[in-house]
Amino acid sequence: MMIQTIKTTPYSDQKPGTSGLRKRVTVFKQPHYIENFLQAIFDSLDGIAGQTLVIGGDGRYYNDVVIQTAIRMAAANGFGKVMVGQNGLLSTPAASHVIRHYKAFGGLVLSASHNPGGPDGDFGIKYNIGKGGPAPEAITEAVYERSKVIERYKTIDAPDVALQQIGTQMSGDMVVEVIDPVTDYAALMETLFDFEAIAKLFASGFTMTFDAMNAITGPYAHAILEDRLGAPKGTVKNGTPLPDFGKGHPDPNLVYCKDMFDLLMTPEGPDFGAASDGDGDRNLIIGKNRFVTPSDSLALLAANAHLAPGYRDGIVGIARSMPTSAAADRVAEKLGIEMHETPTGWKFFGNLLDAGRVTICGEESAGTGSDHVREKDGLWAVLLWLNIIAVRQQSVDQIVREHWASYGRNYYTRHDYEEVDAAIAGTLVDDLRAQLPGLVGQNFGEDLQVAYADDFKYHDPVDGSTSAKQGIRIGFTDGSRIVLRLSGTGTVGATLRLYLERYEAADGRHDLDTQVALGPLIALSERLAGIQQRTGRDEPSVIT
Ligand code: VG1
Ligand code: CO
């Protein structure tokens, strides 16, 4: 095997964000851009010689090219084996499982998740560690530092691997095993959930629609929901991964899944609707006449997990990202288990999961998962919901209402202002941060008194590391919160995320319109931060 050492010059913008490096495809297509970043990753890892690397992606445009590059570079850098999903496909949770299951050294997940794809869309590269989860900040920082000084990368002169062909091939001296992307993941799901009970539910006439959004979950959903659980053919929509996601935006929210939402609100609609994102780690859950906010979904899944075989003995703890509503905290309190609040991004859950301190984790951004892998997992959440419905024999709406009646309801919304001017967004956040010390104790309106106002700083209880500046939070004495942070996954300008929450007790009013219930907080946040006034926008780009 002839290793080639190619000279290169560094790029200054290869800093991984909330979830890996995400940029426009046009940026990734610059000379040596991908090679530089991959080499920076390999240079930041110790002991890769002879080890196994897992590679897979969400099938978006440019996946095929990057996978071939990554395979050649893995060989040149001394990996002994690469395991890659057939046709380069692996959902993010499946990649996490494959890394763990085959005890690989780590993996490359090629995806920009919910961002649009295609030649004018986005691409992304993320490195996951041997425990299966996204690389912690210590590694992503090292990769960034390395990328700024890189002078050469290593590759080999070898033909492309036949990615459609299951089985073993060689790339130089390195073994390449092309695996079925679904088999291992589906087997894992079967160990966690009562497939028989869910199959019975479908056989009894329960109807569902699943939108794979022309992205990665299509093959998984066809295999699990239709082939194994017997949901009628056609249950899975948009089930073939397309490089441009059919020109869609594979973000399962109420904007891009509006048609499904509307259908679920009609009497003719199915009993249950769900969707997942580009790389299969997010979930959207809608019951007939009941949209379930991701924060509520986390709380509900945690409260009912014991109904599924994989969690029969109960859960040991829950973790949620800071902006996620406190609904899950009430469940943890009742169960008498640990509750953790982490910064945004799944990488912060890894230590807690590895240490056995939490079983279920979730983010308000439609991400839920458990200790079965080290990523959020869209289909897992759908299957847990189905398992719970099958056991409780109730509708989603009934289950949600009963939950609120015993725990109270956390009204919750997120307002995104996308692609705003980065300088304006930066100043806005700085100005609000400067106001924080003076806010504590102030009263706004009748019942809003500020209890605390800070920039969230996380102390990892497992490895002792600290992550500062993770989002501004203004908490009120009645449990209401305003949270503001800048997105770390956007690729153009800046995206401001405003998160609003208000608690209504178990015997309170649970049937208010969310935007109305949060009206006073929305108005106050504009008064304090002035997002609309400063950006010139009249409304958020997306409300969830
Ligand atoms: C967003 C979400 C965050 C999620 C991240 C990756 O990050 O808010 O909760 O973990 O996307 O999700 P940000 O920095 O844009 O707010 V995914 O589905 O891209 O892997
Ligand atoms: Co995703």
Side-chain angles (χ1 to χ4, degrees):
M1 178 172 80
M2 269 291 286
I3 296 173
Q4 303 173 326
T5 302
I6 315 274
K7 277 212 165 113
T8 186
T9 47
Y11 288 90
S12 59
D13 65 345
Q14 299 194 322
K15 187 176 168 60
T18 311
S19 181
L21 184 70
R22 275 186 209 178
K23 302 279 176 194
R24 285 280 195 247
V25 167
T26 47
V27 173
F28 273 105
K29 279 191 171 173
Q30 297 173 93
H32 306 319
Y33 194 90
I34 284 169
E35 290 86 346
N36 278 16
F37 188 65
L38 291 175
Q39 189 64 52
I41 294 174
F42 295 153
D43 286 349
S44 307
L45 304 173
D46 280 331
I48 56 181
Q51 299 280 354
T52 298
L53 181 72
V54 171
I55 305 180
D58 62 5
R60 73 177 56 219
Y61 176 80
Y62 220 42
N63 240 16
D64 44 357
V65 175
V66 177
I67 288 180
Q68 300 291 353
T69 303
I71 290 173
R72 282 189 273 265
M73 286 184 63
N77 279 278
F79 277 100
K81 181 176 179 181
V82 156
M83 295 183 81
V84 55
Q86 187 181 28
N87 297 317
L89 299 178
L90 275 178
S91 76
T92 288
S96 181
H97 177 56
V98 169
I99 293 170
R100 293 163 61 79
H101 190 63
Y102 294 101
K103 302 194 167 45
F105 185 85
L108 293 170
V109 181
L110 309 176
S111 169
S113 189
H114 53 287
N115 300 19
D120 304 318
D122 290 345
F123 192 76
I125 302 180
K126 188 171 68 158
Y127 177 72
N128 281 28
I129 58 175
K131 286 173 178 153
E137 279 192 326
I139 295 182
T140 56
E141 286 297 322
V143 171
Y144 177 47
E145 290 308 318
R146 182 77 197 130
S147 75
K148 289 192 286 192
V149 295
I150 198 148
E151 286 174 335
R152 50 104 195 106
Y153 67 84
K154 285 192 257 178
T155 187
I156 58 165
D157 184 15
D160 281 358
V161 164
L163 289 174
Q164 72 286 357
Q165 200 179 302
I166 301 251
T168 300
Q169 307 167 43
M170 296 300 283
S171 180
D173 297 341
M174 186 185 75
V175 175
V176 178
E177 189 182 348
V178 178
I179 59 169
D180 180 88
V182 177
T183 311
D184 293 316
Y185 176 84
L188 174 65
M189 292 301 114
E190 217 158 341
T191 66
L192 298 175
F193 302 114
D194 188 344
F195 272 34
E196 219 171 285
I198 301 173
K200 259 197 206 147
L201 180 72
F202 282 124
S204 74
F206 179 87
T207 53
M208 158 173 193
T209 181
F210 180 87
D211 188 352
M213 306 190 87
N214 302 303
I216 191 69
T217 43
Y220 297 86
H222 279 304
I224 296 172
L225 297 174
E226 294 177 351
D227 300 348
R228 299 206 185 190
L229 294 170
K233 293 268 176 246
T235 297
V236 177
K237 306 264 180 344
N238 303 315
T240 306
L242 301 175
D244 66 350
F245 305 124
K247 304 233 177 302
H249 195 138
D251 191 348
N253 63 26
L254 295 183
V255 174
Y256 303 114
C257 293
K258 172 113 190 5
D259 291 349
M260 185 168 90
F261 174 83
D262 290 345
L263 181 67
L264 267 292
M265 297 303 125
T266 62
E268 309 78 52
D271 299 306
F272 189 67
S276 191
D277 70 332
D279 62 331
D281 57 1
R282 297 188 177 204
N283 69 88
L284 173 77
I285 302 291
I286 310 177
K288 196 187 269 302
N289 297 318
R290 174 62 58 196
F291 163 66
V292 188
T293 67
S295 292
D296 275 349
S297 186
L298 170 66
L300 275 147
L301 293 181
N304 291 282
H306 62 278
L307 301 176
Y311 309 93
R312 190 182 286 127
D313 299 334
I315 58 174
V316 296
I318 310 173
R320 62 165 172 84
S321 67
M322 182 274 283
T324 304
S325 97
D329 302 27
R330 297 178 187 280
V331 174
E333 200 184 339
K334 185 158 174 193
L335 294 175
I337 56 176
E338 282 189 39
M339 181 76 219
H340 296 269
E341 188 178 39
T342 59
T344 295
W346 210 262
K347 57 177 173 273
F348 294 102
F349 294 133
N351 280 343
L352 295 168
L353 289 163
D354 291 341
R357 295 185 60 166
V358 301
T359 308
I360 289 196
C361 305
E363 295 192 277
E364 51 64 42
S365 54
T368 348
S370 86
D371 58 359
H372 68 291
V373 288
R374 293 293 180 274
E375 291 276 6
K376 52 191 187 277
D377 189 343
L379 268 171
W380 170 89
V382 172
L383 291 168
L384 182 48
W385 263 102
L386 288 171
N387 199 143
I388 292 166
I389 293 167
V391 173
R392 288 184 53 163
Q393 294 287 318
Q394 287 177 304
S395 69
V396 171
D397 185 48
Q398 283 170 317
I399 293 171
V400 170
R401 284 174 179 283
E402 283 187 14
H403 187 89
W404 290 338
S406 66
Y407 294 92
R409 175 174 183 183
N410 290 69
Y411 283 102
Y412 188 84
T413 192
R414 186 177 97 192
H415 291 190
D416 292 331
Y417 292 83
E418 292 174 349
E419 299 187 14
V420 302
D421 182 276
I424 293 179
T427 316
L428 186 152
V429 173
D430 289 345
D431 289 352
L432 182 61
R433 192 181 289 118
Q435 285 183 59
L436 297 177
L439 288 179
V440 182
Q442 276 202 48
N443 287 293
F444 294 97
E446 277 165 41
D447 40 31
L448 286 175
Q449 186 185 23
V450 178
Y452 62 88
D454 60 11
D455 200 340
F456 180 56
K457 190 172 185 183
Y458 178 60
H459 302 278
D460 186 312
V462 180
D463 69 10
S465 63
T466 296
S467 303
K469 289 199 166 179
Q470 295 294 330
I472 291 176
R473 34 177 216 177
I474 303 172
F476 300 87
T477 47
D478 69 348
S480 297
R481 287 196 310 165
I482 295 173
V483 172
L484 180 77
R485 59 179 283 280
L486 286 165
S487 156
T489 59
T491 55
V492 177
T495 292
L496 280 163
R497 301 201 196 283
L498 176 69
Y499 312 80
L500 304 142
E501 169 175 10
R502 192 193 109 190
Y503 178 65
E504 183 83 22
D507 57 359
R509 290 197 58 186
H510 299 156
D511 53 358
L512 298 172
D513 175 85
T514 302
Q515 301 302 313
V516 173
L518 295 167
L521 279 173
I522 295 170
L524 177 58
S525 61
E526 180 59 22
R527 196 172 134 196
L528 294 174
I531 300 180
Q532 298 195 355
Q533 187 241 320
R534 288 169 178 234
T535 60
R537 303 279 176 91
D538 319 327
E539 56 177 13
S541 325
V542 180
I543 294 181
T544 39

